[in-house]
């Protein structure tokens, strides 16, 4: 079963990290990513750019945004292939041990279209 795991965080906390702090966070997350990949559970994943660079298309209009009603913003996502929701929850809990102030939302994927395999992008 495929699950989307949406990663929410207070954006200001992440953008205020020093390069060394950010590198340490990513190193910890990549350890969990590596294990999930070795287990055949981790599909595409992305760390999203700043919300100020985002645009929202609604009703044919393009607006700056998103303008979240909460302090936490969507900063990344994963696609997981897990046997059960409990298995996906465990993956989220493992990531949260490395990034304890993050919030992970898990939702079953009803349709997945892999499209073209893109090259790895960093930055």
């Amino acid at each position: 079963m495929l699950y989307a795991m949406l990663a929410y965080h207070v954006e200001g906390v992440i953008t205020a990290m020093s390069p060394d702090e950010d590198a340490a966070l990513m190193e910890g997350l990549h350890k969990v990513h590596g294990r999930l990949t070795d287990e055949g559970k981790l599909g595409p994943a992305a760390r999203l750019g700043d919300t100020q660079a985002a645009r929202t298309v609604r009703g044919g209009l393009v607006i700056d945004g998103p303008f979240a009603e909460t302090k936490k913003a969507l900063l990344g996502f994963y696609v997981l292939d897990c046997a059960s929701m409990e298995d996906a929850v465990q993956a989220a809990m493992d990531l949260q041990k490395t990034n304890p102030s993050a919030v992970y939302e898990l939702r079953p994927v009803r349709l997945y279209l892999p499209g073209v395999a893109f090259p790895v992008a960093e930055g």
Side-chain angles (χ1 to χ4, degrees), residues 27-109:
E27 181 180 344
L29 291 174
H30 285 318
K31 287 179 183 175
V32 179
H33 298 162
R35 182 181 56 79
L36 292 173
T37 298
D38 291 345
E39 294 172 0
K41 295 179 181 176
L42 183 62
R47 188 180 196 193
L48 302 177
D50 296 345
T51 57
Q52 285 93 4
R55 299 295 177 265
T56 299
V57 177
R58 181 176 290 135
L61 300 175
V62 179
I63 57 175
D64 293 345
F67 297 106
E69 297 296 324
T70 65
K71 293 183 180 184
K72 294 197 184 291
L74 177 64
L75 298 184
F77 66 88
Y78 301 83
V79 177
L80 301 173
D81 187 1
C82 295
S84 65
M85 178 60 91
E86 292 75 20
D87 203 16
V89 166
Q90 185 59 56
M93 292 177 74
D94 292 344
L95 286 166
Q96 195 171 49
K97 287 176 189 170
T98 298
N99 194 4
S101 56
V103 174
Y104 295 99
E105 176 185 340
L106 292 157
R107 297 176 63 180
V109 173

